[in-house]
Amino acid sequence: MQTFHLIRHAQSMHNALQQAGQPDPMVHDAALTELGLEQAQRLGTEIAEAPAFDLVVVTPFTRALQTALRVFGQSTAPRMILDLHREYLENYCDVGRSPDHLGKLFPMFDFAHLSDPWWYVDHTSDAVYEKEPASISAQRVEDFSAWLKARPEQTIGVVGHGTFLHALTGQRFDNAERLITSL
C-alpha cells in the first residue's frame, strides 16, 4: 500500500504579508521567511526519523523548493520537480519563474522538462496575472491524484501548497504541516 507524506511549504513572504480582506501584497514567487526556514528545518528533523522515502515530488515554486531542501536534505530519495500540483493561481506569489531562472537559483534540481510558462497564463489578458479558472485547477487535482496512485514507489513525499492540498484531501494545511495518507 502506498503512503504519501503531503506537506505544505513553510511560511513564505506572501504568507507573512497577506492579511485577510486586504489586497494581494504582490510578492512574486515568494521565498521563505526566516520563520519559514526554521519551520522547514524542524519538519526536516521529524522527517529524518520517518521510514525511507522512495521519491520526493516538489512544485517549482521557490517556497516549495526551499522547503524541500530543508525537509528532505538528508534523504537519498530521488527528487522530481512537477508542476501538476502547483498552487491554484489566485495571487501574484503563484506566478512562477522560467525553468532557466529556476535552474540558476536551484542547480541541484532539474527543470528542463518544464514548459515556459509552467504556471497558468491567460493569453487573452494584459494583466500581470489572471486567476486560474476553478475548472482547470480541479482537473489538475484529479490528474495529480491519479498520477500519484499510478507511481510504482511506495513511500512518496510531496511538497506543495495549501489550496491545492486542501482540494486534494479536504483538509486545511498550516505552513510546514504534514499529512500522512494513502489517498
Side-chain angles (χ1 to χ4, degrees), residues 84-143:
L84 189 57
H85 69 298
R86 69 185 181 269
E87 183 60 297
Y88 169 65
L89 198 155
E90 61 183 339
N91 292 293
Y92 191 50
C93 66
D94 305 323
V95 173
R97 297 182 189 279
S98 75
D100 286 343
H101 187 89
L102 289 169
K104 291 174 184 156
L105 294 174
F106 300 98
M108 67 290 295
F109 294 116
D110 178 16
F111 302 98
H113 60 285
L114 294 176
S115 358
D116 191 6
W118 49 265
W119 58 95
Y120 173 77
V121 174
D122 179 347
H123 294 288
T124 66
S125 174
D126 291 332
V128 174
Y129 71 93
E130 291 288 342
K131 269 188 160 180
E132 181 177 10
S135 61
I136 292 174
S137 179
Q139 186 61 57
R140 282 193 302 104
V141 170
E142 284 182 36
D143 292 347

Side-chain angles (χ1 to χ4, degrees), residues 5 10 82 87 101 164:
H5 293 247
L82 187 69
E87 183 60 297
H101 187 89
F164 188 93

Side-chain angles (χ1 to χ4, degrees), residues 58-87:
V58 186
T59 72
F61 283 112
T62 296
R63 57 198 181 271
L65 295 163
Q66 289 177 314
T67 299
L69 287 171
R70 293 205 181 244
V71 170
F72 293 101
Q74 301 303 313
S75 174
T76 59
R79 287 152 173 83
M80 178 183 293
I81 304 302
L82 187 69
D83 62 330
L84 189 57
H85 69 298
R86 69 185 181 269
E87 183 60 297

